[in-house]
Amino acid sequence: MSQTKFIVRKVAVLGAGVMGAQIAAHLVNAKVPTVLFDLPAKEGNKNAIALKAIEGLKKLKPSPLSNKDAVNFIQPANYEDHLHLLKDCDLVIEAIAERMDWKADLYAKVGPHLGENTIFATNTSGLSINQLADSLPAALKPRFCGVHFFNPPRYMHLVEIIPCVGSDAGILDNLERFLVSTLGKGVIRAKDTPNFVANRIGVFSMLATIANAEKFGIRFDIVDDLTGPRLGRPKSATFRTADVVGLDTFSHVVKTMQDTLPQDPWHALFQSPQWLQKLIADGALGAKTKRGIYKKEGKLMFVIDPATGEYVGAGQKGDDAVKEILKIANPGEKFKKLRESEHPQAQFLWACFRDVFHYIAFHLGDIANCARDVDFAIRWGFGWSAGPFETWQSAGWKQVAEWVDADVKAGKSLAAANLPAWALEADRAGVHFVDGSFDAAAGKLVGRSTLDVYARQLAPAKVLGEADGLLGETVFENDGVRAFTTGDDVLVVSFKSKAHAIGPDVIDGVHAALDIAEARFKGLVIWQTEEPFSVGADLQSMLPAFMMGDWDAIDTMVRRFQETSMRLRYSQIPTVAATQGYVFGGGCEFAMHCDKVVAALESYVGLVEVGVGLLPGGGGCKEFAVRAAREAKGDVLAALKDYFMAIATAKVATSAHEAQEIGFFRATDNVVFNTYELLHVAKQQALSMYESGYRPPMAGGKFAVAGRAGAASIKGQLVNMLEGNFISKHDFTIAGLIADVMSGGDVEQGTLVNEQWILDLERKAFMTLLKSSKTQDRIANMLTTGKPLRN
């Protein structure tokens, strides 16, 4: 008999603070009705605190909400009137302030009202789960654990599950299934040690960076220049990250380490520096108070000088010689050069790496179930492109271990604790291997989780050292694409170009793949091995013809692009676009022409061609004209206007749900919360269509257009925008051509045309704009700076 399915029908979140409200937001993004509790207000509406938090969600940027209607499914509540609602909740997440006594009082209040199967979890970022569990009745303990989301919960992939002694294994598995598949999270199981895994190591790394910056006399803005993207870490680097997190929050996490880790050899490091305490006392808490380690005045940026406590002009960069070392591709050579350099900035960087390596090796057995969990925690919770163990292993484990050991023995490290014996074993090549990752407590390798939910991840996140060959068996490959199968009768096409831009090789590859799929497979899926889905047409590939003024060659390229879109629409097998990240321009047009889109929630979608002075030339204008005609209830122009504005203003949907609202994606397209499940769901959709007796749409059908009168009406509004200086003259020209194309050209309102009619207009307008000097300036600017020019 199969086991009973765990279904989450409703969730309650206790605490409408920053984290509680945003966790509630992400739950309703995922169509999970949520009750958001807080204290009863002392006057007026008793739900005022929760209501204010819900209103606040609408104003946050980046938005915690993936669509404008989701917020209506958060029900405000208070602990005085609504505790009876808890009995119908399958999961209750406590997210109040980090006070053990407050949490214990709340547990006593809500405990009797929980349903007999309700999972009760705390979102504490570092308090002891077992200590919290001690305040619960014995019957509730098996259903209690920690569930630590990272801020902001919609965007941060990591969630740590922390069992207490006696947590029911089946309940933990069910919670993990829900977090992974419904909410799209990357889950690691953490041990109940202070600050768990990600914060323990991530915050240590920040404290080590602060200590080494002081030791080597490196300014904070230079530290941020050196410890951000140059190391494969977020732009916010070190000190900007502290500002974003909130200096008070950062200081609280440090205080937890200071109070709860007295035996840690690095204990002396676990304190907020004087300059940080002074900023907090002064109310300078970072981004939320518009002033912290950094502050902005007008267009000028300032950074705190810890020596004087005063702000000084920010913007200094790392030394060029040090930045050259950071460009070295071989990690072992890079570390060797940093370690041997006498430049203070190079010494600082080596010290930061060394101290983190020292710390994670020493503590691996105490804090994590294996090295893989450490690396995923830091990648998913702190945004590093490679985890610290992966970085060490990639540089040559043995050599780096010897360097760290030598520095520890020479008293250069931040603590005198020796590296553990396992790290210095003569035959150790690393901690990640094909058979698993190292568990220092048990002295053995641990394989991946066998929980059934992970069978949906056909291309899961991997750590360095795991088997990392190509997925599936290659069926066809050229310079633009690889088409492969995993043996389930679906052909998967992945682009090989930079940012998956669409040039002639990609177009040829898609046509070849469609030929093969029609002959031998049940469906075709376009899926990329990593984001983005596609940034659109490869303008660089047009450059030679463009420079020679070979307009016929470019016209042929655009025609071929349109033919590819139409082929995706009318192919004899179902086509599915599996989107993630940027889905721009031609990438959006390909997706719009597939039978189905399976979109990761974090798909950012738009027909953005006006940014380079063009209009969508791969069928985007045509597709919106067709959709407007289908939706029109006798008034094509009314249905067309929003679609026109989406193209003319290069509107970008900031989620797959918003892409459905704007119309880039259909309401019937699928939204997947876990990007690693994208390929599985896309294949299932293709197979389902095939098994349901798929036939392509009938080509050649006619539809009504708004005609010259519709275009004139739109242009009337554009004149007002031009006169109000909202758009430039060239914007006006582009938008006027878009209006002409989408309205069907110089024909009467209501005229019936076919798709090819609009495609021809689209291509002609595209070529007209391409020959304009102002468009050429926009393209040149984009190719040289990567930024749009408004001229």
Side-chain angles (χ1 to χ4, degrees):
M1 231 176 99
S2 63
Q3 66 174 77
T4 308
K5 253 190 350 183
F6 174 64
I7 299 171
V8 177
R9 292 175 179 83
K10 186 182 273 191
V11 174
V13 178
L14 312 180
V18 173
M19 280 303 281
Q22 290 198 56
I23 290 168
H26 195 55
L27 285 159
V28 293
N29 288 342
K31 299 193 172 104
V32 180
T34 301
V35 189
L36 181 62
F37 279 84
D38 212 300
L39 296 165
K42 291 188 170 66
E43 50 193 52
N45 187 329
K46 278 196 189 170
N47 291 337
I49 296 173
L51 281 165
K52 185 181 177 190
I54 292 167
E55 273 306 301
L57 291 170
K58 300 174 187 175
K59 299 171 193 152
L60 283 176
K61 291 282 179 262
S63 177
L65 298 159
S66 63
N67 64 91
K68 60 179 187 290
D69 296 329
V71 74
N72 301 325
F73 295 92
I74 303 177
Q75 179 182 348
N78 69 79
Y79 301 124
E80 213 166 83
D81 299 335
H82 301 115
L83 289 177
H84 64 279
L85 296 175
L86 293 173
K87 73 176 187 303
D88 295 324
C89 294
D90 301 291
L91 170 64
V92 174
I93 299 171
E94 170 270 304
I96 68 166
E98 294 285 69
R99 283 271 301 267
M100 193 72 81
D101 52 341
W102 291 1
K103 289 181 189 284
D105 288 349
L106 181 63
Y107 295 1
K109 185 182 287 184
V110 303
H113 298 274
L114 298 176
E116 61 182 47
N117 296 310
T118 301
I119 298 176
F120 188 40
T122 172
N123 179 56
T124 179
S125 60
L127 296 180
S128 167
I129 304 301
N130 282 299
Q131 242 179 297
L132 289 168
D134 287 343
S135 61
L136 295 170
L140 187 50
K141 280 187 183 179
R143 293 181 277 131
F144 181 72
C145 65
V147 57
H148 181 211
F149 287 82
F150 279 68
N151 192 16
R154 172 183 159 187
Y155 299 96
M156 297 307 289
H157 190 54
L158 180 65
V159 172
E160 294 170 317
I161 291 180
I162 312 97
C164 68
V165 173
S167 290
D168 180 276
I171 279 172
L172 296 174
D173 286 350
N174 280 336
L175 181 59
E176 184 164 348
R177 288 182 181 102
F178 172 72
L179 291 167
V180 169
S181 215
T182 305
L183 299 190
K185 295 302 168 194
V187 170
I188 69 157
R189 304 269 184 115
K191 296 183 180 184
D192 186 22
T193 54
N195 290 345
F196 314 130
V197 179
N199 275 346
R200 176 80 174 268
I201 293 161
V203 171
F204 172 83
S205 174
M206 291 173 75
L207 288 171
T209 303
I210 291 168
N212 284 314
E214 183 182 347
K215 180 178 174 181
F216 291 100
I218 315 293
R219 283 172 52 116
F220 291 176
D221 48 356
I222 292 176
V223 168
D224 277 354
D225 181 50
L226 293 172
T227 61
R230 296 184 202 283
L231 300 186
R233 298 179 190 174
K235 281 184 189 168
S236 54
T238 302
F239 292 105
R240 282 182 200 281
T241 295
D243 269 353
V244 171
V245 167
L247 301 186
D248 52 341
T249 306
F250 176 68
S251 182
H252 173 80
V253 176
V254 173
K255 182 81 166 66
T256 301
M257 294 172 81
Q258 187 179 39
D259 293 347
T260 56
L261 294 167
Q263 305 305 317
D264 193 304
W266 284 264
H267 186 261
L269 193 66
F270 304 156
Q271 53 184 305
S272 297
Q274 285 297 319
W275 58 264
L276 181 59
Q277 293 176 37
K278 187 168 177 292
L279 283 173
I280 293 168
D282 199 25
L285 305 180
K288 58 189 170 188
T289 59
K290 306 273 192 288
R291 188 167 61 97
I293 294 169
Y294 289 91
K295 73 169 180 177
K296 196 172 185 182
E297 290 180 1
K299 290 188 175 178
L300 296 175
M301 187 67 81
F302 297 88
V303 65
I304 201 78
D305 176 354
T308 64
E310 302 295 322
Y311 285 99
V312 295
Q316 286 196 22
K317 304 291 183 190
D319 191 277
D320 286 345
V322 177
K323 289 189 286 195
E324 282 304 311
I325 296 175
L326 292 180
K327 286 179 188 170
I328 296 171
N330 181 316
E333 189 186 335
K334 186 189 310 183
F335 284 146
K336 185 172 188 289
K337 286 273 198 323
L338 288 174
R339 189 167 184 268
E340 291 173 352
S341 170
E342 292 184 4
H343 197 296
Q345 291 174 18
Q347 292 175 348
F348 155 77
L349 285 166
W350 162 248
C352 291
F353 278 111
R354 176 203 63 218
D355 291 330
V356 170
F357 295 158
H358 188 188
Y359 195 76
I360 59 175
F362 186 88
H363 282 300
L364 175 58
D366 320 332
I367 65 171
N369 292 313
C370 70
R372 184 193 312 109
D373 288 349
V374 169
D375 281 343
F376 279 157
I378 296 298
R379 275 163 51 176
W380 295 342
F382 280 77
W384 294 17
S385 60
F389 278 121
E390 290 178 291
T391 303
W392 182 347
Q393 186 165 327
S394 70
W397 182 276
K398 196 169 186 301
Q399 178 63 79
V400 173
E402 286 170 4
W403 286 336
V404 174
D405 190 46
D407 280 13
V408 172
K409 290 189 164 84
K412 294 180 181 177
S413 180
L414 290 172
N418 286 326
L419 272 178
W422 66 261
L424 292 164
E425 288 166 354
D427 59 349
R428 178 160 296 281
V431 288
H432 301 307
F433 304 95
V434 173
D435 295 333
S437 288
F438 187 63
D439 170 358
K444 65 176 187 182
L445 297 181
V446 178
R448 301 294 289 254
S449 169
T450 55
L451 199 62
D452 52 8
V453 71
Y454 293 109
R456 296 169 58 85
Q457 299 189 7
L458 304 182
K462 291 192 171 174
V463 286
L464 178 93
E466 283 189 279
D468 199 25
L470 291 171
L471 184 63
E473 177 193 340
T474 302
V475 175
F476 166 81
E477 190 165 13
N478 71 352
D479 288 343
V481 311
R482 174 180 177 253
F484 66 90
T485 178
T486 57
D488 55 6
D489 291 329
V490 176
L491 189 66
V492 182
V493 180
S494 295
F495 301 170
K496 293 159 61 177
S497 48
K498 184 180 177 185
H500 306 132
I502 301 165
D505 289 332
V506 169
I507 285 171
D508 290 346
V510 171
H511 276 281
L514 282 163
D515 288 340
I516 294 165
E518 286 182 334
R520 293 167 43 196
F521 290 87
K522 292 181 178 178
L524 179 137
V525 170
I526 301 177
W527 168 84
Q528 314 300 7
T529 54
E530 59 186 4
E531 60 177 59
F533 178 73
S534 174
V535 293
D538 179 7
L539 293 173
Q540 203 88 39
S541 67
M542 286 188 186
L543 218 51
F546 183 67
M547 299 300 283
M548 291 165 63
D550 189 349
W551 305 115
D552 288 344
I554 295 177
D555 185 87
T556 301
M557 283 184 207
V558 178
R559 188 188 297 271
R560 180 84 165 140
F561 206 119
Q562 292 180 335
E563 287 168 358
T564 312
S565 294
M566 295 297 277
R567 183 95 196 271
L568 287 165
R569 164 65 44 82
Y570 293 110
S571 158
Q572 293 302 309
I573 37 101
T575 56
V576 179
T579 68
Q580 56 176 316
Y582 296 145
V583 189
F584 287 166
C588 179
E589 288 169 307
F590 274 11
M592 289 169 80
H593 282 82
C594 286
D595 292 303
K596 191 93 173 175
V597 175
V598 172
L601 178 71
E602 302 308 334
S603 292
Y604 307 107
V605 190
L607 293 168
V608 296
E609 285 83 352
V610 297
V612 287
L614 296 166
L615 50 68
C621 296
K622 180 274 302 175
E623 190 56 22
F624 268 172
V626 171
R627 292 183 188 190
R630 282 189 194 138
E631 291 160 20
K633 295 182 173 75
D635 186 349
V636 179
L637 178 61
L640 189 68
K641 277 185 174 173
D642 284 346
Y643 287 139
F644 163 79
M645 287 303 289
I647 294 179
T649 61
K651 190 167 189 176
V652 172
T654 56
S655 72
H657 287 146
E658 196 182 341
Q660 289 174 315
E661 288 170 3
I662 295 168
F664 295 122
F665 296 162
R666 294 164 288 245
T668 52
D669 287 331
N670 295 69
V671 178
V672 173
F673 274 60
N674 197 316
T675 306
Y676 296 110
E677 295 185 355
L678 201 54
L679 182 55
H680 167 77
V681 179
K683 286 177 164 211
Q684 294 303 313
Q685 289 295 324
L687 289 168
S688 169
M689 283 188 275
Y690 177 85
E691 298 299 346
S692 303
Y694 176 82
R695 290 289 303 164
M698 300 276 272
K702 296 198 169 182
F703 53 93
V705 292
R708 69 178 79 87
S713 169
I714 291 171
K715 288 175 186 175
Q717 291 177 313
L718 293 175
V719 169
N720 295 336
M721 291 172 77
L722 180 65
E723 288 175 350
N725 287 325
F726 295 110
I727 58 174
S728 70
K729 281 186 178 175
H730 194 50
D731 290 330
F732 179 79
T733 302
I734 300 164
L737 279 170
I738 294 167
D740 287 338
V741 171
M742 294 180 76
S743 300
D746 190 13
V747 296
E748 294 293 326
Q749 191 162 1
T751 299
L752 297 177
V753 302
N754 61 18
E755 289 177 283
Q756 193 57 51
W757 175 267
I758 307 278
L759 287 171
D760 290 342
L761 290 173
E762 187 180 88
R763 193 175 65 258
K764 185 180 172 190
F766 184 95
M767 295 305 299
T768 300
L769 288 169
L770 196 58
K771 293 172 187 175
S772 139
S773 62
K774 282 195 161 60
T775 284
Q776 290 170 9
D777 290 344
R778 287 192 183 189
I779 291 171
N781 195 73
M782 178 61 80
L783 289 175
T784 51
T785 69
K787 292 177 182 167
L789 169 73
R790 298 310 298 272
N791 56 356

